Amino acid sequence: GAVVSQHPSWVICKSGTSVKIECRSLDFQATTMFWYRQFPKQSLMLMATSNEGSKATYEQGVEKDKFLINHASLTLSTLTVTSAHPEDSSFYICSARDRREYQPQHFGDGTRLSIL
Amino acid sequence: GQNIDQPTEMTATEGAIVQINCTYQTSGFNGLFWYQQHAGEAPTFLSYNVLDGLEEKGRFSSFLSRSKGYSYLLLKELQMKDSASYLCAVMDSNYQLIWGAGTKLIIKP
């Protein structure tokens, strides 16, 4: 089945550090990848939609300068949390949609980010 | 606006059957998905319906009625490991997924 690899699984770092999270589709081509954030006991919140070769589309309230997204190839998208602060601590999950029609989104295992 | 409704929480007994309902109002429709999410983990894909009717996959079945904007996920022979949140999501006319808030299913022995 389709596999999406997300790294790292856990990040603990100091306030002010920038953190990069990678999302790879391993056995299919993904023209579109999605970045979500989920706080404890809350729903998934879509942060941005990443399209290969073009600028990401950010949801309302998500700072594009804070959360940098790069989707340089059909199999890789990265999210960089710049100058992270404790309030950025959350569970970040990427998903990728197979470019073929009527395919589900497949999720990575998520990255648990803790900013001290 | 776009809206997905599903119950917040349900409780069922091990070995029993449970039905989780989902109603939706979206801009266009390109299919409805069900995902399972265990606490602290990412969602995993369960089922996809784009035509009316029932799709069966082992102990899990999913039903869709497009005219009613309604779907349900049916779980049979419940096991303790089925305790999780179940997310309903609809793909709209722009191929974006609109997510429900999820139904937390609690299985009791």
Side-chain angles (χ1 to χ4, degrees):
Chain A
V3 177
V4 174
S5 173
Q6 184 174 344
H7 292 283
S9 302
W10 286 84
V11 180
I12 302 174
C13 59
K14 293 181 180 178
S15 185
T17 307
S18 291
V19 178
K20 180 187 277 190
I21 304 170
E22 289 191 352
C23 182
R24 293 179 186 272
S25 58
L26 296 184
D27 57 357
F28 64 97
Q29 292 185 326
T31 48
T32 306
M33 290 185 174
F34 304 87
W35 288 96
Y36 295 86
R37 182 166 53 183
Q38 188 174 36
F39 293 104
K41 299 184 179 180
Q42 293 189 21
S43 307
L44 285 172
M45 286 175 44
L46 180 64
M47 298 174 66
T49 302
S50 166
N51 295 295
E52 185 265 337
S54 65
K55 290 183 179 179
T57 303
Y58 290 81
E59 296 298 304
Q60 195 171 11
V62 178
E63 301 172 57
K64 60 179 69 175
D65 295 331
K66 172 81 172 175
F67 300 99
L68 301 178
I69 291 173
N70 183 281
H71 192 160
S73 77
L74 285 172
T75 58
L76 174 64
S77 176
T78 61
L79 168 69
T80 301
V81 183
T82 61
S83 187
H85 292 284
E87 58 266 28
D88 298 322
S89 298
S90 186
F91 189 42
Y92 291 86
I93 313 171
C94 76
S95 70
R97 183 160 63 82
D98 193 316
R99 64 186 305 178
R100 294 170 294 174
E101 250 190 327
Y102 303 122
Q103 297 295 315
Q105 288 184 26
H106 294 281
F107 286 84
D109 289 335
T111 297
R112 196 162 300 284
L113 177 62
S114 295
I115 309 299
L116 305 176
Chain B
Q2 309 205 91
N3 196 47
I4 310 280
D5 283 317
Q6 51 182 130
T8 304
E9 188 173 295
M10 298 181 71
T11 303
T13 305
E14 189 177 17
I17 299 173
V18 72
Q19 177 174 310
I20 303 174
N21 296 324
C22 172
T23 57
Y24 63 89
Q25 290 179 308
T26 56
S27 318
F29 181 83
N30 278 305
L32 186 144
F33 300 85
W34 284 96
Y35 286 82
Q36 180 191 59
Q37 186 178 25
H38 284 101
E41 298 180 11
T44 55
F45 169 71
L46 288 179
S47 69
Y48 170 63
N49 295 69
V50 67
L51 299 177
D52 290 349
L54 189 68
E55 294 280 341
E56 295 185 79
K57 196 184 289 187
R59 293 189 298 113
F60 293 5
S61 303
S62 56
F63 171 83
L64 174 68
S65 169
R66 288 172 297 171
S67 62
K68 294 182 180 177
Y70 167 71
S71 171
Y72 67 72
L73 179 69
L74 191 72
L75 292 78
K76 302 176 184 176
E77 301 169 18
L78 286 170
Q79 301 174 10
M80 297 304 292
K81 67 179 182 179
D82 298 328
S83 292
S85 286
Y86 291 85
L87 309 174
C88 172
V90 173
M91 186 174 282
D92 68 10
S93 55
N94 294 319
Y95 294 96
Q96 301 285 18
L97 273 186
I98 312 299
W99 292 90
T103 298
K104 182 179 180 181
L105 178 63
I106 300 168
I107 310 296
K108 295 186 175 179

